[in-house]
Amino acid sequence: MLTLHGFAYSNYYNIVKHALLEKGVAFEEHTVYTTDPELLQVSPTGKVPAITTDNGAHLSETTAILEYLEEAYPQHPLLPQDTVARAKVRQIIKCLELYIELSTRRLLPAALMGVTPDPQVIEEVSATVARGVAALNELSEFRPFLCGDTLTLADIYCRYAMAIPQLVGPKVLGMDIVAQIQGLPALMERLAASEVSKRVDSDMRANQDEFMQKIRERQNP
Ligand SMILES: N[C@@H](CCC(=O)N[C@@H](CS)C(=O)NCC(=O)O)C(=O)O
């Protein structure tokens, strides 16, 4: 059976978990934290998530895993049939990853641990986020999903990629990034109401204390 490695508090882990649940792929979860040396056996960068396929291959990097799942498990497709529409889904995911998630992640220490943010970093992050927001306003359809009337990988990626901006935006940047994308607050609510989201969110909450403990251990070994 496919194994998903990582921990339930990770937004990237939850992107893959959500896709697996949505597609109805059988999998087991192996809880491993980024401080555990064994993670390197399945994820060469030491990042979460990783999977071990049915054939024993290890894969990491969320988008690579998502693409693998689409090819290996064509049931319940999460990419459209049309090639341009598929590329649009990937384009939105790239915008979310590069301009929204990764940039706001730079301010996570400020949001989580109260570290005073460097004004230069705030400026850079704000400029990058503004680009991402503009692109997402341009690209998103909200009919009612990001790429039309069917749930795709773009919606799943978006739901969890927005976790960091939702934290960092109000706490550090003084703005609601989700609200800046016309139609996104309503879509986020709709996505949150699904049974898959409820399961992922509930597992995430259950993992919060252990995850925080791991962070404290890393700070004070
Ligand atoms: N590019 C990676 C990023 C994954 C990532 O940053 N995961 C976080 C947990 S949410 C992590 O492993 N952080 C540990 C670290 O950066 O050392 C992906 O797309 O899977």
Side-chain angles (χ1 to χ4, degrees):
M1 191 189 294
L2 187 148
T3 304
L4 174 61
H5 308 274
F7 54 92
Y9 207 72
S10 156
N11 59 337
Y12 284 104
Y13 179 90
N14 285 336
I15 292 171
V16 173
K17 181 167 166 178
H18 192 121
L20 285 165
L21 289 168
E22 202 69 53
K23 291 176 80 63
V25 176
F27 68 101
E28 58 190 8
E29 295 182 72
H30 167 226
T31 300
V32 56
Y33 291 92
T34 53
T35 43
D36 297 336
E38 63 172 292
L39 179 60
L40 290 170
Q41 289 167 16
V42 290
S43 171
T45 56
K47 297 234 179 193
V48 157
I51 62 166
T52 302
T53 69
D54 285 341
N55 306 328
H58 305 309
L59 293 171
S60 61
E61 287 303 320
T62 300
T63 49
I65 296 172
L66 293 176
E67 293 283 346
Y68 165 77
L69 293 177
E70 280 306 291
E71 289 181 24
Y73 303 93
Q75 71 265 30
H76 292 286
L78 293 169
L79 281 172
Q81 281 298 310
D82 177 73
T83 46
V84 171
R86 291 164 86 85
K88 287 274 178 212
V89 170
R90 295 179 176 119
Q91 185 180 1
I92 288 181
I93 288 174
K94 268 287 171 224
C95 289
L96 287 162
E97 180 181 18
L98 298 180
Y99 301 97
I100 306 284
E101 211 281 347
L102 283 175
S103 59
T104 52
R105 190 170 272 272
R106 294 176 69 192
L107 295 171
L108 210 45
L112 282 184
M113 291 166 267
V115 175
T116 307
D118 180 340
Q120 174 71 27
V121 173
I122 296 218
E123 204 175 302
E124 287 168 15
V125 170
S126 303
T128 310
V129 166
R131 255 178 210 257
V133 164
L136 290 167
N137 271 312
E138 178 69 27
L139 295 169
S140 306
E141 296 178 14
F142 299 115
R143 283 190 301 118
F145 296 104
L146 286 175
C147 296
D149 59 6
T150 314
L151 181 90
T152 68
L153 290 177
D155 302 292
I156 295 174
Y157 200 96
C158 183
R159 174 158 206 267
Y160 301 98
M162 283 295 168
I164 309 289
Q166 279 170 320
L167 190 68
V168 160
K171 272 196 170 171
V172 189
L173 298 173
M175 64 155 116
D176 182 343
I177 296 170
V178 171
Q180 291 193 3
I181 300 159
Q182 196 84 36
L184 189 55
L187 176 60
M188 292 291 277
E189 268 185 41
R190 186 187 189 105
L191 295 174
S194 83
E195 288 309 312
V196 169
S197 295
K198 285 183 193 162
R199 153 127 187 232
V200 172
D201 291 353
S202 152
D203 290 353
M204 182 186 164
R205 282 192 295 274
N207 183 234
Q208 179 169 358
D209 288 349
E210 192 169 274
F211 169 71
M212 290 300 175
Q213 180 60 27
K214 294 283 170 186
I215 297 230
R216 281 192 290 273
E217 282 169 17
R218 194 164 64 178
Q219 283 172 323
N220 310 301

